């Protein structure tokens, strides 16, 4: 365990000039501008909702955007996770000694509010890089080099990032799990009793549609880092239209498929986003007619008709429940979406909801082909 990550600082995106991600995050999903920077052909805007911070890097400057790496990727995507660590320079050198590629060696940045140091490490997960940041000596609202942006308080729909899901090529999860363990201190988080870390949780989609293998990872107690979920298609999957295979094709390789944003009130958040113009995936009609689903929803203290109207999924038992809703892709290329999640005691990810998401993606793809 080389570099225990202490906190997720932000998720960074790279988009071409004029792509509306920053605008959509603010107007559709309740994020508020936090800090901005323009230099070297890049426009960088940090937006916040609760403790969730997204950094949108817009442009294609000749150099690297501050705190990141220009991946020169062919489609817009989430390209970087920035983690707080105790000693960015020391950690970067230790990872380089392990054979990790460090495209941005340790560098220090400062302004009137203090200083920070960082390095950028390439991960084995496609175009996803990791920024290792030490900002213990910084007092500003975001990071040195950025100008704070004043904005009205946001709607408060989101409190923090609950989890991050990487879409991986089939069979790669064990290698990725070991890499994140050795380099950043992530440990296997069982999603089922007696789960083998090498196998993860297998979720069959049913009716010959294949399925998913999910492997969850978490950092040790005391850190504030979202759960990392590795998702890959099960061997033998015949359909190339499942959510992971679709992502790998459209994204042209592995990467960050979605961010799960925790909300204390999923009904309010979902309604607010829909009213603002946000587009959500529609669950399959049969989801709410499953045997026992109405009783399950009532046991969790919710009204089945209200959940069905807003497309909210619910899973769980023994007084531990999970509510989820998924947006459509934030990019026309289908390379990133958001999930809203509310936990009522549940710590994992509902298998019925995973199957429902699977079918929703299938149906959305079919509608797009017919349009």
């Amino acid at each position: 365990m080389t570099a225990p990550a202490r906190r997720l600082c932000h998720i960074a995106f790279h988009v071409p000039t004029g792509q509306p991600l920053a605008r959509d995050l603010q107007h559709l999903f309740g994020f508020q501008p936090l800090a901005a920077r323009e230099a070297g052909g890049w426009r960088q805007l940090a937006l916040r909702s609760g403790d969730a911070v997204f950094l949108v890097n817009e442009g294609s400057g000749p150099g690297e955007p501050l705190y990141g790496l220009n991946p020169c990727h062919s489609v817009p995507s989430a390209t970087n996770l920035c983690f707080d660590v105790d000693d960015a320079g020391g950690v970067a050198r230790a990872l380089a000694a392990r054979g990790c590629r460090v495209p941005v060696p340790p560098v220090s940045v400062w302004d009137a509010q203090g200083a920070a140091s960082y390095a950028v490490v390439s991960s084995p997960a496609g175009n996803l890089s990791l920024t290792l940041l030490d900002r213990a000596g910084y007092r500003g609202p975001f990071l040195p080099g950025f100008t704070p942006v004043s904005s009205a308080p946001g709607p408060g729909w989101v409190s923090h990032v609950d989890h991050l899901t990487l879409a991986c090529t089939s069979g790669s999860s064990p290698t990725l799990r070991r890499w994140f363990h050795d380099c950043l201190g992530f440990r296997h988080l069982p999603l089922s009793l007696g789960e083998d870390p090498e196998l993860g949780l297998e979720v069959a989609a049913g009716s010959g549609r294949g399925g998913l293998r999910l492997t969850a990872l978490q950092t040790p107690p005391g850190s504030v880092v979202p759960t990392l979920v590795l998702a890959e298609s099960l061997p033998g999957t015949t359909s190339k239209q499942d959510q992971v295979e679709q992502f790998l094709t459209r994204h042209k390789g592995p990467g960050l498929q979605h961010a799960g944003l925790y909300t204390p009130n999923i009904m309010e958040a979902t309604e607010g986003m829909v009213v603002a113009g946000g587009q959500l995936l529609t669950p399959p009609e049969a989801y709410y007619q499953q045997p026992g689903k109405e009783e399950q929803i009532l046991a969790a203290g919710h009204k089945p008709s209200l959940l069905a109207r807003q497309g909210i999924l619910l899973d769980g038992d023994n007084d531990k429940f999970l509510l989820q809703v998924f947006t459509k892709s934030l990019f026309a290329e289908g390379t990133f979406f958001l999930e809203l999640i509310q936990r009522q005691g549940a710590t994992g990810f509902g298998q019925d909801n995973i199957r429902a998401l699977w079918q929703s993606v299938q149906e959305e793809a079919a509608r797009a082909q017919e349009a």
Side-chain angles (χ1 to χ4, degrees), residues 17-73:
T17 300
Q19 206 283 337
L21 175 62
R23 182 198 67 196
D24 290 349
L25 288 172
Q26 183 174 354
H27 296 300
L28 305 182
F29 302 110
F31 282 71
Q32 296 299 304
L34 174 63
R37 175 181 179 270
E38 291 193 40
W42 293 97
R43 181 178 186 271
Q44 297 180 271
L45 178 65
L47 303 104
R48 162 174 282 168
S49 183
D51 287 335
V53 178
F54 286 0
L55 176 61
V56 179
N57 298 313
E58 183 178 335
S60 56
E64 309 295 354
L66 200 58
Y67 301 102
L69 175 70
N70 179 9
C72 299
H73 202 59

Side-chain angles (χ1 to χ4, degrees), residues 254-341:
L256 185 61
Q257 181 209 38
H258 77 268
L261 304 178
Y262 189 87
T263 175
N265 189 329
I266 197 167
M267 301 289 290
E268 177 184 335
T270 300
E271 185 171 355
M273 289 182 182
V274 170
V275 169
Q279 295 186 312
L280 306 179
L281 279 179
T282 302
E285 292 184 7
Y287 176 81
Y288 301 98
Q289 278 74 54
Q290 295 178 84
K293 179 58 67 176
E294 180 175 350
E295 291 78 8
Q296 185 184 44
I297 294 173
L298 291 172
H302 299 278
K303 294 182 178 180
S305 59
L306 292 181
L307 295 194
R309 188 183 70 192
Q310 298 197 28
I312 297 172
L313 309 178
L314 182 143
D315 205 351
D317 53 31
N318 298 325
D319 297 325
K320 294 182 179 180
F321 299 98
L322 176 75
L323 296 98
Q324 297 165 287
V325 68
F326 304 89
T327 73
K328 294 184 180 181
S329 177
L330 275 59
F331 302 129
E333 293 80 0
T335 49
F336 183 80
F337 63 89
L338 298 174
E339 170 188 342
L340 291 179
I341 183 168

Side-chain angles (χ1 to χ4, degrees), residues 1-357:
M1 188 167 66
T2 299
R6 293 190 290 109
R7 179 183 295 272
L8 176 69
C9 175
H10 61 257
I11 303 168
F13 301 79
H14 280 74
V15 300
T17 300
Q19 206 283 337
L21 175 62
R23 182 198 67 196
D24 290 349
L25 288 172
Q26 183 174 354
H27 296 300
L28 305 182
F29 302 110
F31 282 71
Q32 296 299 304
L34 174 63
R37 175 181 179 270
E38 291 193 40
W42 293 97
R43 181 178 186 271
Q44 297 180 271
L45 178 65
L47 303 104
R48 162 174 282 168
S49 183
D51 287 335
V53 178
F54 286 0
L55 176 61
V56 179
N57 298 313
E58 183 178 335
S60 56
E64 309 295 354
L66 200 58
Y67 301 102
L69 175 70
N70 179 9
C72 299
H73 202 59
S74 57
V75 294
S77 64
T79 57
N80 178 274
L81 300 177
C82 180
F83 294 105
D84 284 332
V85 297
D86 287 328
D87 177 6
V91 168
R93 288 187 289 272
L95 292 180
R98 281 180 171 266
C100 295
R101 195 167 72 88
V102 185
V104 179
V107 60
S108 295
V109 186
W110 56 88
D111 61 21
Q113 299 300 313
S117 61
Y118 74 94
V120 183
V121 178
S122 295
S123 87
N127 71 328
L128 185 69
S129 63
L130 307 176
T131 295
L132 309 173
L133 173 71
D134 181 354
R135 56 175 175 175
Y138 190 65
R139 302 178 300 277
F142 184 52
L143 290 171
F146 281 75
T147 302
V149 177
S150 298
S151 61
W157 294 331
V158 170
S159 62
H160 62 277
V161 179
D162 178 86
H163 64 274
L164 301 163
T165 296
L166 299 180
C168 313
T169 55
S170 183
S172 67
S173 291
T175 299
L176 289 174
R177 178 184 63 81
R178 287 189 288 270
W179 190 90
F180 279 100
H181 173 272
D182 293 343
C183 295
L184 285 170
F186 280 87
R187 302 173 179 178
H188 176 234
L189 172 64
L191 297 176
S192 61
L193 189 63
E195 179 182 315
D196 185 338
E198 292 292 302
L199 299 178
L201 172 67
E202 295 187 0
V203 182
S207 302
R209 292 196 298 269
L212 287 178
R213 184 192 312 281
L214 301 179
T215 305
L217 309 174
Q218 65 179 2
T219 50
S223 61
V224 187
V225 175
T227 299
L228 189 63
V229 182
L230 310 176
E232 62 174 71
S233 297
L234 288 175
T237 297
T238 56
S239 170
K240 293 300 182 182
Q241 294 301 312
D242 71 68
Q243 55 177 294
V244 173
E245 292 300 329
Q246 279 189 19
F247 178 91
L248 294 176
T249 299
R250 295 170 177 175
H251 189 258
K252 306 186 190 311
L256 185 61
Q257 181 209 38
H258 77 268
L261 304 178
Y262 189 87
T263 175
N265 189 329
I266 197 167
M267 301 289 290
E268 177 184 335
T270 300
E271 185 171 355
M273 289 182 182
V274 170
V275 169
Q279 295 186 312
L280 306 179
L281 279 179
T282 302
E285 292 184 7
Y287 176 81
Y288 301 98
Q289 278 74 54
Q290 295 178 84
K293 179 58 67 176
E294 180 175 350
E295 291 78 8
Q296 185 184 44
I297 294 173
L298 291 172
H302 299 278
K303 294 182 178 180
S305 59
L306 292 181
L307 295 194
R309 188 183 70 192
Q310 298 197 28
I312 297 172
L313 309 178
L314 182 143
D315 205 351
D317 53 31
N318 298 325
D319 297 325
K320 294 182 179 180
F321 299 98
L322 176 75
L323 296 98
Q324 297 165 287
V325 68
F326 304 89
T327 73
K328 294 184 180 181
S329 177
L330 275 59
F331 302 129
E333 293 80 0
T335 49
F336 183 80
F337 63 89
L338 298 174
E339 170 188 342
L340 291 179
I341 183 168
Q342 180 182 340
R343 297 184 181 276
Q344 294 181 197
T347 57
F349 303 92
Q351 296 191 40
D352 284 346
N353 288 2
I354 294 169
R355 294 187 186 95
L357 171 61

